[in-house]
Amino acid sequence: FLFNGTIYYRGGMTLQALREKVGEFTFSRIIRDWATQNRYGNVTTPQFIAHAEQISGQDLTAFFDAWLYQEGKPTSW
């Protein structure tokens, strides 16, 4: 499991899917604010999800569940 390709590619695929879901402007704000607010700190995936939901104004529960917690690549988002 450690060297499974999914481990390495899933994060990038998730971020690209998030960009497509919320739009370029909102995605850029999510990433920029996240990096600024958490510089030199430790964070968790649930904290990132909450941040993305706050900035986008969307409930992203199903989106992140499909992309981060379910097996296989989602076919739609």
Side-chain angles (χ1 to χ4, degrees), residues 16-77:
Q16 178 60 29
L18 178 62
R19 172 182 278 147
E20 293 177 18
K21 181 162 184 64
V22 302
E24 185 66 36
F25 177 80
T26 301
F27 177 78
S28 294
R29 185 167 169 226
I30 289 168
I31 297 301
R32 184 181 57 248
D33 291 356
W34 180 253
T36 300
Q37 293 170 12
N38 297 291
R39 183 178 298 152
Y40 309 119
N42 296 315
V43 293
T44 66
T45 300
Q47 287 172 314
F48 178 78
I49 293 169
H51 174 76
E53 289 182 328
Q54 179 185 13
I55 298 296
S56 70
Q58 297 181 35
D59 178 357
L60 299 170
T61 304
F63 171 83
F64 281 113
D65 180 60
W67 277 97
L68 298 177
Y69 301 112
Q70 301 302 316
E71 288 190 34
K73 179 183 171 195
T75 56
S76 66
W77 54 88

